[in-house]
Amino acid sequence: MTQPNSVANDLDPTAFSAYFLRDENCYVPTAIARGGWGPTISGHVVGGLLAWAVEHDVDDPELHPARLTVDLPAPTALEPVEVHTRVHHDRRRLRLVEAVLTQRGATVARASALFLRRGQQPDGHVWSPPVQMPPLPIEQNGNHPSLFIRTYGWGAGVQNPDPEWDDAPGPKYTWLEETRPLVDTEPLSAFTRAAMAGDVTASIANWGTRALQFINVDYTLTLSRLPEGPHIGLASLAHYSDDGIAVGSAVLVDHSGPVGSGMSVSLAHSGFRPPSVMSTT
């Protein structure tokens, strides 16, 4: 087992299938956890670990994870991390849980998750804008691998398997299929899968004519239900930016339709580059 003080980017990504390996109270990132902003852990991996932690702190299956807010105030180095959770409110219809991720005793990320108790759906209809996604991917051979996960994207000038949806100046769409476990060999839960996809809101909302020029500093995921199946889609809704500050939003869908939404806050920042090692399986 890797020692807690080891630097994890020396690990061979082909030797380990998970983003993190558990070592007592620490989680050691493997090389595939690296993001596109330098030698740091990807925000979607950080958000996934925080979501995984808060979900493990809730043992009532009737409590639904309705909202997750992930703060990314500092780069998370490719070094072992610890995660600590705390329940702030525990009431009949809700539970509020906080998770904090630390390295060398300092906080590098945190999350707040609101769980709501499921109940009877009211009668009537409420208007919501329709979402039309590109067709659900059927390839299983990794023809369109992304930086961290198998991605099928439209409208961003990259990874466009269907020319009918290739409209670079317009809205962005992507289907994501997370192909690796987060911690050891533990299967991904639907909530963790959604949390990891929620971080991609910033990428598709902020992708412009010169690719990605904004770095994510936080994101909020809201879910009316948990996604079904391995694919989660995102359709960008809006991007607004002034003086180097950007906000963006997206709809999250599964094969049956919308499941929730994502909102991101970002700062102008150049230098996004795909990691030199890419996952294709």
Side-chain angles (χ1 to χ4, degrees), residues 114-190:
L114 181 64
F115 291 77
L116 300 180
R117 186 167 299 282
R118 295 178 176 89
Q120 184 176 354
Q121 177 70 6
D123 293 332
H125 300 280
V126 180
W127 179 87
S128 183
V131 178
Q132 183 180 4
M133 289 289 294
L136 189 70
I138 58 175
E139 303 102 290
Q140 299 296 325
N141 57 8
N143 281 342
H144 306 286
S146 77
L147 315 181
F148 330 97
I149 46 185
R150 187 171 294 162
T151 303
Y152 310 79
W154 291 261
V158 294
Q159 297 175 334
N160 296 291
D162 186 349
E164 294 182 3
W165 284 85
D166 186 5
D167 183 17
K172 310 298 187 295
Y173 304 88
T174 189
W175 283 106
L176 307 174
E177 181 188 2
E178 181 56 69
T179 60
R180 294 178 181 267
L182 183 69
V183 177
D184 295 335
T185 59
E186 182 177 325
L188 285 175
S189 71

Side-chain angles (χ1 to χ4, degrees), residues 65 82 84 105 139 142 183 240 279:
E82 293 186 10
H84 306 276
E139 303 102 290
V183 177
Y240 307 108
S279 168

Side-chain angles (χ1 to χ4, degrees), residues 1-80:
M1 175 62 70
T2 304
Q3 294 302 312
N5 59 357
S6 301
V7 177
N9 60 347
D10 290 334
L11 296 175
D12 179 0
T14 63
F16 306 99
S17 60
Y19 288 103
F20 292 98
L21 302 177
R22 197 193 314 253
D23 186 1
E24 297 182 352
N25 295 328
C26 293
Y27 300 89
V28 182
T30 63
I32 62 167
R34 175 172 175 159
W37 298 102
T40 58
I41 300 177
S42 167
H44 96 287
V45 179
V46 171
L49 186 62
L50 290 166
W52 175 86
V54 297
E55 186 176 30
H56 277 66
D57 220 27
V58 176
D59 56 2
D60 187 339
E62 291 305 310
L63 287 174
H64 165 73
R67 191 266 299 160
L68 174 75
T69 296
V70 176
D71 293 314
L72 305 166
T76 306
L78 281 165
E79 299 177 359

Side-chain angles (χ1 to χ4, degrees), residues 204-244:
I204 68 165
N206 296 328
W207 195 285
T209 56
R210 295 192 176 183
L212 188 58
Q213 297 288 319
F214 293 91
I215 188 170
N216 200 9
V217 294
D218 83 7
Y219 73 91
T220 294
L221 169 72
T222 60
L223 294 171
S224 62
R225 64 177 176 86
L226 291 173
E228 300 175 353
H231 293 97
I232 297 179
L234 287 92
S236 63
L237 283 178
H239 162 91
Y240 307 108
S241 60
D242 294 278
D243 299 324

